[in-house]
Amino acid sequence: MTGAPIKVLAIDDEPPIRKLLRMGLATQGYEILEAPSGKVALEKLAEEPALIILDLGLPDIDGHELLRTIRARNESIPIVVLSSRGDEAGKVKALDLGADDYITKPFGMDELLARLRAALRHQLQAQGERPVFRTGDLSVDLVRRIVKLGEREVKLSPKEYDLLRVLVQHAGKVLTHRFLLKELWDELTDAQYLRVYVRQLRQKIEADPERPQFVLTETGIGYRLRAPD
């Protein structure tokens, strides 16, 4: 990592976890800000971190409420939830409230670093959306509405393209079923319709639809499009 270090605000009430994050992230050139509580975390926002790691089990403020507050103050800052809570409902709620990703403790540092890089890439993409999105041999021209695998153009139905477009706009980020249904059908449609269109889209853009490389399933939560290269 070159240039000025990226500030990461680590919000966690467990000293061993904060120490692990401090040591693991510092070796990669990140600057670490630490907050053992929600109150301190809100104060640390004044130091303008570029990315937030948030534990939901804080002693003073409910983690979901803190997430809601942070997102209301800053719409674009990447937030990666790092929590011992593995229940599906908690994950979905955090993602719907604006978390960019969700990792369950115990975690591997290499995976966490990869997720942080993906969240930062997504932020950069959102700030200046590129007219042509590329990941692997998949390219999506968002201006001309042309989808290609290598040099071969892929014909999509309007709804298949709309689904892919939403995934592209949030590439690298987990999108919940609820979010996608709201974006594509105003949430009035059964989730089975979403599964059908995901399956159809995979049939057209995946080399092996049963082992997708682009449209990835987050079991019980939603879908994630592979981040741009």
Side-chain angles (χ1 to χ4, degrees):
M1 187 177 298
T2 59
I6 296 174
K7 288 184 182 180
V8 179
L9 174 57
I11 308 170
D12 198 300
D13 65 329
E14 298 182 63
I17 295 295
R18 295 202 307 276
K19 180 180 179 180
L20 176 63
L21 293 172
R22 182 170 65 250
M23 295 175 62
L25 297 179
T27 61
Q28 300 299 312
Y30 292 96
E31 178 182 344
I32 313 303
L33 306 175
E34 297 182 36
S37 67
K39 180 177 182 295
V40 174
L42 293 175
E43 295 171 352
K44 290 286 185 179
L45 291 179
E47 298 185 41
E48 299 184 344
L51 190 150
I52 292 174
I53 299 173
L54 171 62
D55 174 35
L56 296 179
L58 299 172
D60 57 341
I61 301 177
D62 176 76
H64 288 110
E65 287 305 312
L66 181 59
L67 173 57
R68 191 196 308 272
T69 300
I70 294 173
R71 185 53 79 214
R73 294 188 183 185
N74 190 319
E75 294 182 354
S76 63
I77 187 169
I79 301 174
V80 175
V81 171
L82 182 63
S83 179
S84 57
R85 301 180 186 178
D87 62 292
E88 180 181 321
K91 290 182 180 180
V92 170
K93 183 176 181 180
L95 292 166
D96 278 338
L97 286 173
D100 291 84
D101 211 336
Y102 193 114
I103 302 177
T104 304
K105 298 177 183 176
F107 62 94
M109 184 55 66
D110 286 344
E111 179 187 6
L112 175 62
L113 289 168
R115 299 288 185 99
L116 296 182
R117 290 192 295 269
L120 288 168
R121 283 197 300 269
H122 173 256
Q123 181 194 39
L124 292 173
Q125 181 188 0
Q127 290 174 342
E129 185 178 289
R130 295 172 293 182
V132 179
F133 169 88
R134 290 187 176 87
T135 181
D137 59 355
L138 174 67
S139 67
V140 183
D141 188 322
L142 297 168
V143 176
R144 297 188 296 160
R145 296 171 65 94
I146 294 175
V147 179
K148 288 185 175 181
L149 277 175
E151 296 301 316
R152 177 175 65 86
E153 185 171 341
V154 179
K155 299 296 185 182
L156 300 180
S157 71
K159 186 60 72 176
E160 290 166 354
Y161 178 82
D162 287 343
L163 170 60
L164 181 58
R165 174 183 52 79
V166 174
L167 290 168
V168 164
Q169 289 172 339
H170 301 277
K173 181 176 179 179
V174 179
L175 302 183
T176 64
H177 298 122
R178 179 181 176 186
F179 176 86
L180 288 167
L181 288 170
K182 184 177 180 181
E183 288 290 304
L184 298 168
W185 290 283
D186 297 324
E187 259 184 311
L188 299 179
T189 303
D190 189 277
Q192 182 60 29
Y193 281 89
L194 175 60
R195 298 187 190 97
V196 168
Y197 279 101
V198 168
R199 184 166 60 249
Q200 291 177 181
L201 180 60
R202 283 173 170 163
Q203 292 287 343
K204 295 183 178 181
I205 69 171
E206 301 282 3
D208 183 352
E210 299 302 318
R211 296 178 176 81
Q213 299 298 310
F214 299 123
V215 182
L216 308 175
T217 298
E218 295 288 336
T219 304
I221 299 173
Y223 301 95
R224 178 206 307 266
L225 183 66
R226 196 174 92 180
D229 295 330

